[in-house]
Amino acid sequence: MSTRRPIVGGNWKMNTNLASAVELVEDVVAQCQTCTAGCDVALFPPFPYLNPVGAKLGHHAILLGAQDLYHEPNGAFTGEVSAEMLIDLDVEIVLVGHSERRHVIGEDDFLLNRKLHTALAAGLTGVLCIGETMVQREAGQTQQVTVDQLRAGLEQIRVEQMRQVVIAYEPVWAIGTGRTATPEDAQAVHAQIRTTLAGLYDEATAAVTRIQYGGSVKPSNAAALYQQPDIDGFLVGGASLKADQFLDIVRSTVGATA
Ligand code: PEP
């Protein structure tokens, strides 16, 4: 089991509406009396609901997160949202390079590295998401793809900035499909990521950097995944839309008392 403080994020993607987003955050807050005592918990609602969701979080220790950001501070970038705008709304953590940004929207490693630099410079925690497709996995390229994405995403990120970085390993074939990597398969990739971090930075940095697993995580599979030594929490999509399921996943990292 991991010795690092776990971190679990709920990525609502392009789901909910104003009423259901508010209802969901209210449910999470009501059911999460002490769930942040042993675990960092973050919610990533759609941009339009950041403000109402943040208002419901109030002074609760749950972190308000954004699903994306743009790397420029302002200007003629129609539809984009800057780091400063997120900070205005009390956002503390942001996803960078979620597989749907990479594979549906078409964002590449170069752009994602610029976004991560921008997030960290603004004082946000950045969750750098990496992971292979099924075609890449079947071609035996999992290690190469994840290491390449990790190196490219962290290009010119300084060692002291790594305190603000979380890595999310999310095999693309497991996201929203109901298919989950086995704990052993996920652990093998997480261990490889940590070894790569040690090479890019140093052993101490690798030892403290948190690596989340994402891909059809549910209450029924979270505990077995969390038993692995290099899995430090989860990035949760579908199951985060139900407060009880999401908090069961949080509790799988901190025990049943949360
Ligand atoms: C995600 O959105 O990052 C994710 C892993 O989704 P799901 O849990 O639905 O597979």
Side-chain angles (χ1 to χ4, degrees):
M1 194 184 297
S2 165
T3 53
R4 290 157 286 270
R5 181 176 166 84
I7 176 164
V8 176
N11 174 17
W12 296 359
K13 311 194 187 196
M14 199 174 74
N15 292 303
T16 69
N17 55 29
L18 177 57
S20 64
V22 168
E23 193 179 339
L24 181 53
V25 67
E26 284 176 344
D27 285 352
V28 171
V29 168
Q31 294 180 41
C32 172
Q33 305 300 332
T34 58
C35 73
T36 55
C39 181
D40 288 341
V41 179
L43 299 179
F44 298 86
F47 283 137
Y49 309 138
L50 279 170
N51 215 11
V53 168
K56 291 292 175 186
L57 288 178
H59 296 297
H60 200 288
I62 293 175
L63 303 170
L64 183 63
Q67 297 175 18
D68 188 30
L69 82 167
Y70 199 59
H71 57 278
E72 296 288 352
N74 50 49
F77 304 105
T78 301
E80 297 296 343
V81 175
S82 71
E84 288 72 13
M85 292 170 181
L86 297 179
I87 285 168
D88 262 354
L89 299 181
D90 295 327
V91 168
E92 294 175 83
I93 181 167
V94 62
L95 303 182
V96 175
H98 188 277
S99 79
E100 287 141 24
R101 302 297 312 175
R102 291 179 186 266
H103 297 289
V104 181
I105 314 292
E107 297 188 350
D108 63 17
D109 285 322
F110 180 72
L111 174 66
L112 298 174
N113 175 250
R114 294 175 77 182
K115 290 188 175 194
L116 186 60
H117 274 281
T118 300
L120 303 185
L124 294 163
T125 293
V127 182
L128 177 65
C129 305
I130 60 176
E132 82 286 1
T133 64
M134 182 50 94
V135 171
Q136 291 166 330
R137 168 160 283 246
E138 286 176 342
Q141 296 169 346
T142 298
Q143 181 174 323
Q144 184 196 321
V145 169
T146 51
V147 168
D148 285 353
Q149 289 178 349
L150 186 67
R151 286 178 176 277
L154 295 177
E155 184 76 35
Q156 302 292 324
I157 301 290
R158 299 186 308 277
V159 65
E160 66 272 18
Q161 293 180 296
M162 286 301 291
R163 286 194 295 269
Q164 287 168 254
V165 174
V166 174
I167 308 297
Y169 168 57
E170 300 206 294
V172 179
W173 50 270
I175 298 179
T177 60
R179 304 178 59 180
T180 318
T182 64
E184 294 74 24
D185 282 350
Q187 165 59 26
V189 180
H190 281 234
Q192 179 64 47
I193 291 169
R194 207 172 298 286
T195 301
T196 305
L197 291 173
L200 288 174
Y201 298 99
D202 51 54
E203 291 288 346
T205 302
V208 298
T209 302
R210 292 177 297 176
I211 308 172
Q212 295 176 302
Y213 171 79
S216 298
V217 176
K218 304 181 274 283
S220 57
N221 58 25
L225 286 158
Y226 192 67
Q227 286 302 313
Q228 300 298 321
D230 288 295
I231 295 182
D232 306 317
F234 302 109
L235 186 54
V236 185
S240 73
L241 297 172
K242 299 263 190 291
D244 53 347
Q245 291 191 21
F246 179 63
L247 289 167
D248 277 351
I249 293 168
V250 171
R251 286 185 195 101
S252 74
T253 70
V254 290
T257 54

